[in-house]
């Protein structure tokens, strides 16, 4: 890798880490404020994620049939493709 590519990669990783840190801090502060996430909110979030993946990959996902490992790999693959598309634009 060239020096410029290494610098770019480090910058990307740094900003990703900062984003994750801020998101985790916000989540912790909401929990301390008493804004607990309800089971309904968790289920709604899961349903929205499945809907997004089905639209993104143009395929049907049956949550009653698919196991957690396969689902996690589908989510990871979507993340990789989205990150690749962001970098290429």
């Amino acid at each position: 890798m060239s020096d410029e590519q290494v610098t770019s990669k480090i910058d990307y990783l740094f900003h990703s880490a900062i984003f994750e840190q801020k998101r985790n801090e916000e989540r912790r502060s909401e929990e301390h404020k008493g804004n607990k996430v309800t089971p309904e909110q968790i289920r709604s979030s899961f349903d929205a994620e499945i809907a997004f993946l089905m639209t993104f990959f143009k395929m049907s996902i049956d949550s009653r049939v698919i196991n957690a490992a396969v689902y996690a790999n589908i989510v990871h693959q979507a993340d990789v493709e989205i990150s690749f598309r962001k970098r290429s634009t």
Side-chain angles (χ1 to χ4, degrees), residues 19-72:
F19 172 78
E20 289 296 326
Q21 182 181 14
K22 287 181 181 178
R23 188 171 70 153
N24 288 334
E25 288 172 356
E26 287 175 4
R27 187 178 308 138
R28 280 190 212 112
S29 70
E30 287 178 8
E31 287 176 1
H32 290 333
K33 291 178 184 175
N35 297 336
K36 301 278 184 193
V37 178
T38 66
E40 293 79 20
Q41 291 171 321
I42 293 170
R43 182 64 185 175
S44 176
S45 174
F46 180 68
D47 289 342
E49 184 177 68
I50 289 176
F52 169 77
L53 291 171
M54 289 171 54
T55 303
F56 185 78
F57 287 115
K58 297 178 179 78
M59 62 181 261
S60 179
I61 299 173
D62 188 350
S63 61
R64 295 168 296 181
V65 176
I66 197 168
N67 68 34
V70 172
Y71 182 76

Side-chain angles (χ1 to χ4, degrees), residues 69-85:
V70 172
Y71 182 76
N73 281 306
I74 291 171
V75 171
H76 175 72
Q77 184 61 38
D79 182 49
V80 168
E81 286 191 33
I82 291 168
S83 295
F84 178 74
R85 289 179 186 183

Side-chain angles (χ1 to χ4, degrees), residues 10-21:
I10 290 172
D11 189 49
Y12 169 76
L13 292 172
F14 174 73
H15 284 92
S16 295
I18 295 296
F19 172 78
E20 289 296 326
Q21 182 181 14

